[in-house]
Amino acid sequence: MCGIVGYAGYRDCSDVLVDALSKLEYRGYDSAGVAVFENGEIKVCKAQGKLEMLRKKMQEEGKPQGRVGIGHTRWATHGEPSDINSHPHSGAKVTVVHNGIIENYRELKEFLSAKGVEFVSETDTEVVAQLLNYYYKGDPLDTIIKTISDLDGSFALGIIFADYPERIYAVRRESPLIVGIGKDENYIASDVPAILKYTRDYYLLDHDEIAVLTDSEVNIYDIHKEPVEKTLMTADWDESAAEKGGYEHFMIKEIHEQPNAVNMTVKPRVVDGLPNLEECGITHENIKSFKNIFVVACGTAMHAGMVGKYVIERLAGVPVTVDIASEFRYRSPIVGEGDLVIIISQSGETADSLAALRLAKSLGAKTLAVVNAKGSSIAREADMLVYTHAGPEIAVASTKAYIVQLAVMYLFAFELSLARGKITEEQCRELTLSLLAVPELIGKILETDLEKSQYISTKLLSADSLLYIGRGLDYALSMEGSLKLKEISYIHSESYAAGELKHGTISLITDEMPVIAVATQRSLLEKTVSNIVEVKSRGAMVIIITREDFTIDEKAYDFRIDIPSTDDMLMPMLAAVPMQLIAYYTSVLRGNDVDKPRNLAKSVTVE
Ligand code: G6P
């Protein structure tokens, strides 16, 4: 999704903007641009393609020279990726960068066209620039307030007015925006990593709040022009957390950060050997009597919810429905008082997940957010909140954020089961102890399975399509394994419940269809192996991911990856790792842009 930055200070503004934008590349984009005050005039430079293209254009056309400006990476929504559609967009007196979608832009465009305004791009953003320009009578704050009152949809806007070359204005509704506070310099950005090199202090802008920045001052107003006092936040990680640190890609770095991320997420929530989520607003009293639980999320986070479903139902005996957020919000879900809706989201800003949260609340359900990004919208609006402590995840393909989402699902399931008297304290202690031991086991896998996974990737390079199969928790996990592979290798892949194959999909099996089978569940082993034999005997090359203490007939598979053993229920946290590695190496070997796969965005803040 689009990324916004802005700077007012003493440094070379173009350099700061491009550098800050490079820290937002992970969000996904197809063009970039900046607008900088040069000798009191707004100078714009923008280019389709990666930031490199913008840098090149700046060299050719002359880098805008100044100390105040705004910048943008665009992920095309209205109008194809092109120089013209790239941001910033301008009216005569106003220049704008925008993240989000203006839903009523057509009506506004017609209105402005009727007044004689001419448009050069196909974007909804140019409509905002022209509307600001239309209302502008000399007071930027009044102009912004009037303009945003006309806008429907989501937006984070960075705005500069030609008459005020020392200032940047910023405003948001739904889409995220922070204001970074430095010494003799201030920033705006879509996300914290953009400014970490310069400062760790920032304000979170709330809906319809307007920030006015110069190099020495930041003032924030509400929609009635009243000044707002904000709490200064400090990022608890430094710049190095958002850098590759010697690894070739963020993804492999983040895979290696998993043991630490799990420790950070789990350890502080274990007291006397038992899970304790009180600081998150979760007590035995307030969770024990939910009738139904819904887990609502998108992408990888939804897959974490699938694992959660199996674990919560098995241990706590509460029915769990997992929903894709974009379906939940439009399918008239039967949710209400006495139900719990868990929203899982790394970014805490995914538009559909946020809408699902609001819907659940309006229907009377209690809500619990499992979120990685501090202070994000989902984190702020849920009744209960468990932060995952993965640190910044930069690679688009989620790895460490998924693992810690699983960890929270387990902690919650253990606590819920204990609260409902479904497990004894003794059993809960044992499970918690096993969860605490997971980081070390992941570390072991990272030591022993790297080369094997790399080798297996060489066998997948030429496949057009492959299948992931498993039963029970292995099936829930294989959904994530399959997504990981397809999103970064661009090889088509599906996950299938192993027992369901024979009802159709097995007809696809040939010697050109590799199958990755996950078999970590003791009670299902025999049945899973029968399904594996079914595909093997039809010619498939079978890669099995299983545990070191399982004996499986060698004729059933071509390659075997062994992982250490722990409680069956926790095996997904281990089996996920070789799957991530296989996806990673396959993408590397195919020469893909591993961290920024085509067409994808890290944080999807539009529907
Ligand atoms: C995007 C990302 C996925 C992510 C999904 C949900 O599609 O590319 O990796 O799983 O959004 O994001 P969230 O921030 O809500 O977890």
Side-chain angles (χ1 to χ4, degrees):
M1 294 289 110
C2 305
I4 288 181
V5 296
Y7 178 73
Y10 53 86
R11 304 175 202 250
D12 179 316
C13 183
S14 291
D15 287 352
V16 174
L17 294 176
V18 174
D19 172 65
L21 287 174
S22 74
K23 304 293 174 357
L24 297 179
E25 280 191 299
Y26 69 89
R27 295 166 70 86
Y29 72 108
D30 41 51
S31 53
V34 299
V36 173
F37 280 106
E38 186 178 275
N39 303 323
E41 303 270 314
I42 296 174
K43 185 167 173 192
V44 173
C45 184
K46 50 192 195 175
Q48 187 193 336
K50 296 289 178 198
L51 280 173
E52 220 21 68
M53 300 305 289
L54 179 65
R55 287 196 187 98
K56 210 167 142 218
K57 198 155 179 186
M58 281 181 172
Q59 260 175 12
E60 285 162 12
E61 294 180 358
K63 180 172 75 174
Q65 300 289 338
R67 304 280 173 247
V68 177
I70 50 179
H72 190 262
T73 44
R74 174 174 187 252
W75 191 80
T77 53
H78 298 76
E80 56 171 19
S82 69
D83 285 5
I84 289 206
N85 287 334
S86 308
H87 300 208
H89 289 284
S90 304
K93 290 274 190 183
V94 192
T95 295
V96 169
V97 289
H98 166 220
N99 169 23
I101 287 188
I102 306 302
E103 282 164 9
N104 59 337
Y105 85 103
R106 275 202 191 85
E107 293 95 293
L108 294 170
K109 197 169 184 174
E110 271 166 32
F111 166 79
L112 289 166
S113 300
K115 307 275 177 200
V117 175
E118 287 184 10
F119 291 87
V120 292
S121 79
E122 298 157 86
T123 63
D124 52 345
T125 306
E126 193 186 2
V127 175
V128 180
Q130 291 292 3
L131 194 61
L132 283 161
N133 198 57
Y134 176 76
Y135 283 137
Y136 181 64
K137 301 282 179 288
D139 183 331
L141 214 48
D142 283 342
T143 309
I144 293 171
I145 291 170
K146 205 158 170 31
T147 303
I148 63 171
S149 312
D150 283 359
L151 303 181
D152 290 338
S154 59
F155 52 80
L157 297 166
I159 311 165
I160 50 178
F161 289 84
D163 295 340
Y164 295 89
E166 264 101 55
R167 297 187 200 169
I168 312 172
Y169 289 81
V171 62
R172 71 167 285 232
R173 186 183 296 160
E174 307 297 343
S175 304
L177 200 60
I178 61 160
V179 177
I181 308 299
K183 190 170 171 342
D184 300 325
E185 54 181 355
N186 294 304
Y187 301 81
I188 59 166
S190 297
D191 200 357
V192 180
I195 57 164
L196 275 183
K197 183 165 166 187
Y198 310 100
T199 179
R200 286 163 63 184
D201 296 332
Y202 64 95
Y203 295 125
L204 283 167
L205 270 195
D206 270 308
H207 297 301
D208 287 351
E209 283 179 351
I210 305 156
V212 189
L213 292 81
T214 64
D215 57 0
S216 55
E217 238 185 305
V218 171
N219 291 298
I220 298 176
Y221 301 91
D222 67 13
I223 194 131
H224 309 293
K225 246 176 131 171
E226 293 295 326
V228 183
E229 282 295 319
K230 304 289 292 183
T231 316
L232 192 66
M233 318 266 295
T234 302
D236 49 13
W237 20 273
D238 60 16
E239 200 200 342
S240 66
E243 308 234 303
K244 284 189 203 149
Y247 288 94
E248 203 180 339
H249 299 100
F250 280 109
M251 184 176 173
I252 191 72
K253 174 182 176 237
E254 288 161 3
I255 289 173
H256 278 88
E257 284 170 348
Q258 293 183 120
N260 187 43
V262 176
N263 270 330
M264 301 289 285
T265 303
V266 174
K267 271 193 178 163
R269 276 79 180 253
V270 176
V271 178
D272 292 336
L274 291 172
N276 184 321
L277 295 167
E278 257 172 49
E279 44 113 23
C280 313
I282 296 174
T283 60
H284 284 202
E285 262 331 289
N286 67 12
I287 57 170
K288 70 177 181 203
S289 36
F290 289 119
K291 292 189 296 251
N292 300 291
I293 295 177
F294 294 80
V295 185
V296 187
C298 304
T300 291
M302 191 271 290
H303 292 154
M306 284 302 294
V307 172
K309 170 187 166 74
Y310 280 85
V311 178
I312 294 170
E313 289 188 339
R314 189 188 299 176
L315 269 186
V318 185
V320 181
T321 307
V322 180
D323 262 283
I324 294 168
S326 55
E327 289 297 311
F328 179 84
R329 58 186 292 199
Y330 295 116
R331 77 162 169 85
S332 315
I334 315 293
V335 178
E337 245 175 77
D339 294 334
L340 173 69
V341 176
I342 304 177
I343 307 284
I344 308 179
S345 175
Q346 188 285 123
S347 64
E349 298 291 351
T350 303
D352 284 317
S353 304
L354 181 58
L357 168 73
R358 290 178 180 161
L359 174 64
K361 283 182 94 169
S362 73
L363 293 171
K366 278 268 169 268
T367 54
L368 161 63
V370 178
V371 169
N372 197 44
K374 294 232 175 80
S376 53
S377 303
I378 293 173
R380 283 188 282 171
E381 292 187 27
D383 301 315
M384 296 172 268
L385 166 67
V386 185
Y387 275 124
T388 52
H389 294 301
E393 190 179 63
I394 307 294
V396 167
S398 183
T399 53
K400 62 175 179 170
Y402 171 71
I403 289 288
V404 292
Q405 286 162 352
L406 294 186
V408 170
M409 286 287 97
Y410 288 113
L411 278 174
F412 178 75
F414 299 166
E415 175 125 32
L416 180 66
S417 314
L418 191 59
R420 289 171 58 85
K422 296 285 178 179
I423 54 171
T424 62
E425 228 180 76
E426 187 60 30
Q427 286 168 315
C428 194
R429 264 180 223 288
E430 254 174 53
L431 286 165
T432 309
L433 200 63
S434 302
L435 180 60
L436 285 165
V438 161
E440 204 186 322
L441 299 178
I442 295 178
K444 263 194 185 163
I445 297 173
L446 289 170
E447 274 166 26
T448 54
D449 282 348
L450 279 181
E451 271 179 34
K452 189 86 181 258
S453 308
Q454 210 165 356
Y455 175 70
I456 282 167
S457 300
T458 64
K459 304 282 167 200
L460 305 178
L461 290 183
S462 54
D464 287 330
S465 187
L466 55 92
L467 270 188
Y468 280 74
I469 61 170
R471 282 172 176 258
L473 275 168
D474 289 334
Y475 169 49
L477 174 67
S478 72
M479 293 179 186
E480 175 56 12
S482 167
L483 175 67
K484 213 60 6 196
L485 184 94
K486 81 177 122 193
E487 67 182 339
I488 57 172
S489 74
Y490 313 146
I491 300 174
H492 172 256
S493 139
E494 291 303 324
S495 67
Y496 239 79
E500 178 66 9
L501 276 178
K502 57 175 91 56
H503 299 294
T505 306
I506 202 163
S507 70
L508 293 174
I509 298 289
T510 66
D511 54 5
E512 285 175 14
M513 168 81 94
V515 174
I516 299 190
V518 195
T520 68
Q521 301 295 302
R522 196 174 295 278
S523 61
L524 295 168
L525 182 63
E526 247 176 67
K527 297 203 183 303
T528 308
V529 170
S530 311
N531 300 133
I532 295 172
V533 170
E534 281 161 15
V535 291
K536 176 86 181 109
S537 61
R538 284 162 178 85
M541 175 178 79
V542 174
I543 296 131
I544 187 165
I545 298 175
T546 187
R547 34 202 283 181
E548 58 197 11
D549 58 343
F550 279 180
T551 312
I552 300 170
D553 183 354
E554 283 181 12
K555 289 197 222 73
Y557 55 83
D558 296 276
F559 304 100
R560 172 173 172 151
I561 295 189
D562 280 320
I563 47 177
S565 286
T566 177
D567 189 288
D568 270 28
M569 219 158 355
L570 292 167
M571 286 307 292
M573 288 188 79
L574 304 185
V577 181
M579 291 190 166
Q580 296 166 341
L581 291 171
I582 289 171
Y584 171 73
Y585 286 118
T586 309
S587 175
V588 172
L589 291 170
R590 283 171 67 108
N592 295 350
D593 192 348
V594 179
D595 288 334
K596 288 169 269 156
R598 70 184 176 213
N599 306 338
L600 293 180
K602 181 78 185 159
S603 172
V604 180
T605 49
V606 296
E607 266 198 64

